[in-house]
Amino acid sequence: MNDGRRGRSRWGLVAALAAVPVLILGLFGWMVVSAAVSDDFLGGGPEEVPCAEALAFGGARLPQGAQQVGACEVMAWQDTHYSAEFRMPRAQVRDWLADAYPYAPEPDTEFCFDNADLCLELDFAMEHSDPEVAAHAVQVYVTYEGTDTARVRFSAFTV
């Protein structure tokens, strides 16, 4: 009479063991699909932050007379990436960069990405060891909009 119970117990164990690979494959499939449709598959996409916070992460301040363009954002998981975009008086761009990064080389005007008119790329691990700067790298791309205005795209991040 115990043969019936043993048979049911075996099938219960077989079903439980068969469910484990199905659960593992399901979790793996969810991770693959999530990674394919999202930059951050664990959630927590870009969050809006004050522009002053974004620039401070890279060791700079928002220049006087700057007007924010869009949202300043942070994305963080393993690395942290801040971005800001603003307009400022064109005549003040070089002075602002020199004040923010006095140790930096002269900004480039020839080999800039995204058709920028002026760019500065800093790798803090290589160029200095300022403990006040949390970012490992900073990128600043400036596009001139007419004779008076410059559009600045600022990015500071860890690697």
Side-chain angles (χ1 to χ4, degrees):
M1 303 242 168
N2 285 340
D3 290 335
R5 287 186 190 166
R6 278 191 195 160
R8 278 188 243 151
S9 295
R10 269 192 225 138
W11 284 112
L13 179 61
V14 169
L17 291 175
V20 170
V22 171
L23 291 173
I24 291 171
L25 287 173
L27 178 62
F28 179 74
W30 171 79
M31 289 174 58
V32 169
V33 170
S34 295
V37 298
S38 172
D39 289 338
D40 186 0
F41 71 92
L42 293 177
E47 294 179 25
E48 192 169 336
V49 296
C51 288
E53 178 182 326
L55 276 94
F57 185 78
R61 292 184 192 178
L62 198 61
Q64 280 203 300
Q67 299 171 333
Q68 184 175 329
V69 177
C72 294
E73 297 178 329
V74 63
M75 283 183 54
W77 184 53
Q78 288 182 327
D79 300 322
T80 302
H81 182 269
Y82 280 88
S83 63
E85 193 168 343
F86 54 90
R87 285 189 176 91
M88 67 179 291
R90 177 178 172 161
Q92 296 175 9
V93 171
R94 286 185 181 269
D95 289 341
W96 171 70
L97 287 171
D99 183 52
Y101 305 108
Y103 43 79
E106 189 69 23
D108 195 356
T109 57
E110 206 171 321
F111 301 105
C112 299
F113 292 114
D114 297 335
N115 296 323
D117 298 304
L118 183 74
C119 55
L120 181 64
E121 295 185 0
L122 299 174
D123 179 353
F124 291 127
M126 300 292 286
E127 295 174 15
H128 79 92
S129 58
D130 185 348
E132 298 296 316
V133 178
H136 296 158
V138 168
Q139 298 172 332
V140 181
Y141 296 104
V142 180
T143 305
Y144 298 133
E145 297 179 327
T147 57
D148 297 332
T149 306
R151 186 177 191 136
V152 177
R153 286 173 288 131
F154 177 91
S155 176
F157 50 93
T158 58
V159 288

